[in-house]
Amino acid sequence: MPILSSALKALRQTKRKTAINRPVKSRAKSMIDAMRKVPDLTNLSKAFSAVDRAVKRHIIHKNKAARVKSQLSKLLVGLAKK
């Protein structure tokens, strides 16, 4: 447990931000998993939206988002070729 007042404040801020950011990150992960299990256009759209929202709130890095979106798009293209 922190002793300094600034450390106590930082702990409070971290807990609050974690509580706010966790659902956004969790939603993005679950949408990505749903797309990987059942690759179709609607799941792709939901996954892109969730990832973009996480990027907008600085929860994941924009380059990681681009990589994830590229990988998900490849799943859909691979399915179309079959």
Side-chain angles (χ1 to χ4, degrees), residues 35-36 39-40 44 48 66-82:
M35 173 58 192
R36 287 194 173 133
D40 63 351
L44 183 70
F48 275 23
R67 184 176 66 241
V68 167
K69 289 164 73 172
S70 173
Q71 290 170 348
L72 294 178
S73 296
K74 284 181 184 177
L75 287 175
L76 204 58
V77 170
L79 188 69
K81 286 184 180 179
K82 291 181 181 178

Side-chain angles (χ1 to χ4, degrees), residues 50-64:
V51 168
D52 288 338
R53 286 171 194 255
V55 169
K56 186 170 83 172
R57 296 179 63 174
H58 303 288
I59 296 171
I60 62 174
H61 195 272
K62 63 178 183 175
N63 291 354
K64 179 177 179 174

Side-chain angles (χ1 to χ4, degrees), residues 2-3 23-24 44:
I3 297 171
V24 177
L44 183 70

